[in-house]
Amino acid sequence: MLASRGPLPQLLAQKKQLLNDLEKLEAARKRSSKTAYNASQYEERITKQFFSQFKSGLANADISSLYTITDWDSPDDRGRVTQNNNEIVEEFAHYYAHLARPKPSHNPETLLDALSKKGLSERQRNTLEAPLELEEIEILIVTLAHAGGVGAGTGDVAATTATE
């Protein structure tokens, strides 16, 4: 007789209440684990989320002026400020030429042996030996402006020579 009439209204109400209670408990569990995760991310940890709070939302990626450096071996001796796009490109070319120039190394044999065993593909050799084009340098300048410069945060000169 009970099956023909369906479940009692009290049982349906009790089932609905239990389902609501389970949903609330599940939401609280999710909320607490997410809160714990977010709290750990906001602590001083090296994460994008942590550093995003220091980034200006209205930052301009354009490098409109740049100090010229007369001698990249002593970059603290800054020259004049240039706003000419061609001179800015030229200064980046000097900077990267300085970075690519051979520097003294202590006990380089281990690394050189590993690199010589690995070798480069023909495509990689052609890419490395090709001259830089103006478009590539312009893309690099915009990328550096977004990233804060090569080695930003490590005391690198490129990060400090761009002026606002």
Side-chain angles (χ1 to χ4, degrees), residues 8-119:
L8 295 175
Q10 296 92 351
L11 292 177
L12 287 174
Q14 188 177 10
K15 178 183 174 186
K16 187 175 182 180
Q17 183 61 39
L18 288 172
L19 287 174
N20 284 338
D21 291 345
L22 284 173
E23 285 177 8
K24 287 178 185 176
L25 289 172
E26 179 65 14
R29 184 191 65 81
K30 285 182 181 177
R31 198 169 38 248
S32 66
S33 63
K34 185 175 182 182
T35 303
Y37 172 77
N38 287 341
S40 72
Q41 292 298 302
Y42 280 113
E43 292 173 1
E44 291 190 29
R45 299 181 73 194
I46 301 175
T47 61
K48 282 185 177 183
Q49 190 173 10
F50 173 74
F51 286 106
S52 68
Q53 61 188 324
F54 303 111
K55 186 174 181 181
S56 171
L58 303 173
N60 184 0
D62 182 32
I63 298 176
S64 59
S65 62
L66 190 73
Y67 282 107
T68 58
I69 307 296
T70 53
D71 179 19
W72 278 102
D73 289 323
S74 61
D76 292 333
D77 300 334
R78 294 180 178 172
R80 62 182 176 79
V81 175
T82 182
Q83 294 180 340
N84 182 318
N85 286 340
N86 290 332
E87 289 180 6
I88 291 173
V89 168
E90 212 172 287
E91 192 60 31
F92 273 102
H94 289 302
Y95 172 68
Y96 282 101
H98 171 74
L99 287 181
R101 192 173 63 213
K103 311 229 177 1
S105 179
H106 304 289
N107 193 16
E109 291 78 21
T110 306
L111 180 59
L112 291 174
D113 289 342
L115 288 173
S116 65
K117 287 178 186 174
K118 182 179 179 187

Side-chain angles (χ1 to χ4, degrees), residues 143-157:
T143 304
L144 287 175
H146 281 298
V150 174
T154 60
D156 193 59
V157 176

